[in-house]
Amino acid sequence: MTLRVGVIGGGQLARMMVPAAVELGVDIRVLAEGPDMSAGIAATAEGDYHDTDTVLSFARDVDVVTFDHEHVPQDVLRALVDAGVDVHPGPDALAVAQDKIVMRQRLSDLGVPVPDWAAVQDADALAAFIAEHGGRAVVKTARGGYDGKGVRVVTDPSEVEDWFTAVAEAGGDQALLVEELVPFTRELAQSVARRPSGEVAAWPLVETVQRDGVCAEVIAPAPDSAGRLADTAESLAVRIAEELGVTGVLAVELFQTGDERILVNELAMRPHNTGHWSIDGATTSQFEQHLRAVLDLPLGATGAHAPHAVMVNVLGGPADGDLAGRYPDALAAFPEAKFHFYGKAPRPGRKIGHVTVVGDDVDDVVYRARAAAAHFDD
């Protein structure tokens, strides 16, 4: 009998599940948004994931449904569950990832350390929060933001006037999320995987480097993190996964402060950019592990192949020519590097691929990963 996994969403995360599915002998099927999506190589259907009938039709012939993103509406998710489809992660867990205000409230209710925050519906409430937090704050749209989109650092409510207009037009209890501007020393990420029967596995804690709100580099494991810091991050991520009922991969993005505290910034309930290093750097990649987890199969070991692994994103790509034209020089210059591209056309700021290098000396590995990726940037 062949196990069948249906992935909703045709982005690069679905694309990178394909090799893992092939190795496991899993029949992977993808509902892509259109014909030119990154995961088009595995697309068995095209359609709108907002449409219940389209999603139900896609799910009819698979054993489990999972996701390339968290944006499938709750009514569609509930319809899948009502139809008897195994959905991982489930609607209740995804509801926390879909709305940043819901996320902050649930984490706060659990006693998880997060930045000071509030839900604000008007300029007066935002002005009061800014005044109470040193004259600056971070404002986020509750839904839809990613890679720096939907996030602004502000000193005055007028800087998000357009967002307040949208909130007012939406009506109901819509609001913006405002948070303290955390004086962090670095950003970290902890990925874990959890299967429905309860088994959990964690990868090493990693350090992430952001540029313009986009993840640019990941260093695994995070330098100077062994011991209490790594143990705290792992236990925190495992607790979140268990308390929220997350199944599949969970990535917990963290701030580390000058006094050695860690605060939860964001959650992603799927494979995540901060875990791409695991394809080449860990015994079990996040993509294989996600498939194992959603199928409720025993999880794989998560240890690293080498003392250090560094992943560098290729952002934007060549201004002239195409990616293939850069391959000969890059592959010849860095035969030890592993190159991954997502079938995307170059565009300023766009994630079109990543490079991973592993080795014994972290400074050398960082240098070689950056240099290899630079062959594709202009």
Side-chain angles (χ1 to χ4, degrees):
M1 182 184 71
T2 300
L3 299 171
R4 302 163 300 174
V5 174
V7 183
I8 298 178
Q12 65 257 28
L13 301 180
R15 180 189 182 96
M16 285 184 274
M17 290 184 208
V18 174
V22 171
E23 292 174 358
L24 287 172
V26 169
D27 180 2
I28 188 167
R29 307 180 185 189
V30 173
L31 174 61
E33 294 86 337
D36 299 320
M37 297 297 294
S38 183
I41 54 174
T44 54
E46 293 177 13
D48 183 0
Y49 60 78
H50 297 88
D51 181 73
T52 301
D53 290 339
T54 296
V55 174
L56 285 172
S57 177
F58 169 73
R60 186 176 298 122
D61 298 319
V62 300
D63 298 306
V64 62
V65 165
T66 191
F67 308 94
D68 173 82
H69 55 71
E70 293 104 341
H71 306 312
V72 179
Q74 280 289 313
D75 61 336
V76 176
L77 296 172
R78 301 289 175 184
L80 285 169
V81 173
D82 291 344
V85 178
D86 279 339
V87 179
H88 296 294
D92 291 339
L94 282 170
V96 179
Q98 289 173 336
D99 189 300
K100 291 182 175 62
I101 293 174
V102 173
M103 181 189 298
R104 281 288 177 261
Q105 188 62 64
R106 287 286 284 121
L107 292 176
S108 297
D109 290 345
L110 293 173
V112 170
V114 296
D116 195 18
W117 67 277
V120 294
Q121 293 182 302
D122 56 49
D124 290 343
L126 177 55
F129 187 95
I130 293 172
E132 293 168 2
H133 292 81
R136 300 179 75 198
V138 180
V139 181
K140 301 178 181 180
T141 55
R143 289 177 171 265
Y146 66 97
D147 285 347
K149 300 177 178 67
V151 179
R152 295 177 188 172
V153 177
V154 305
T155 58
D156 189 90
S158 63
E159 295 172 79
V160 289
E161 183 177 356
D162 54 330
W163 288 357
F164 276 127
T165 298
V167 165
E169 291 174 349
D173 58 355
Q174 298 298 307
L176 299 177
L177 173 66
V178 59
E179 299 179 342
E180 65 171 311
L181 187 61
V182 176
F184 61 85
T185 55
R186 61 175 174 172
E187 294 184 73
L188 304 168
Q190 176 66 64
S191 290
V192 299
R194 178 176 178 270
R195 53 191 286 214
S197 56
E199 182 188 8
V200 181
W203 287 270
L205 179 68
V206 302
E207 179 176 341
T208 71
V209 179
Q210 314 290 320
R211 296 197 184 99
D212 298 323
V214 179
C215 179
E217 299 178 4
V218 173
I219 303 172
D224 302 316
S225 64
R228 186 186 67 83
L229 180 61
D231 293 345
T232 299
E234 180 177 330
S235 63
L236 186 61
V238 169
R239 181 177 167 225
I240 291 170
E242 292 176 339
E243 294 281 3
L244 299 183
V246 179
T247 46
V249 168
L250 168 70
V252 181
E253 296 183 80
L254 303 159
F255 294 131
Q256 181 180 358
T257 66
D259 56 359
E260 296 301 305
R261 291 180 301 134
I262 55 173
L263 305 175
V264 174
N265 180 27
E266 301 279 358
L267 303 179
M269 297 178 187
R270 50 173 169 74
H272 189 255
N273 198 178
T274 57
H276 290 352
W277 70 273
S278 64
I279 300 173
D280 306 301
T283 302
T284 307
S285 79
Q286 65 169 343
F287 298 99
E288 177 184 340
Q289 198 83 299
H290 187 72
L291 294 174
R292 289 186 184 217
V294 301
L295 287 165
D296 205 15
L297 297 172
L299 301 180
T302 53
H305 292 318
H308 305 284
V310 173
M311 184 222 70
V312 176
N313 277 324
V314 179
L315 301 172
D320 298 310
D322 58 18
L323 287 170
R326 306 291 179 97
Y327 289 169
D329 287 346
L331 273 60
F334 297 94
E336 76 281 15
K338 302 297 290 184
F339 297 87
H340 300 263
F341 290 100
Y342 307 153
K344 292 181 171 182
R347 190 175 70 201
R350 190 182 203 188
K351 291 179 188 173
I352 61 169
H354 72 267
V355 177
T356 303
V357 176
V358 303
D360 297 328
D361 181 270
V362 65
D363 292 333
D364 179 61
V365 174
V366 168
Y367 170 80
R368 287 185 287 129
R370 288 176 179 172
H375 275 269
F376 299 92
D377 287 328
D378 290 331

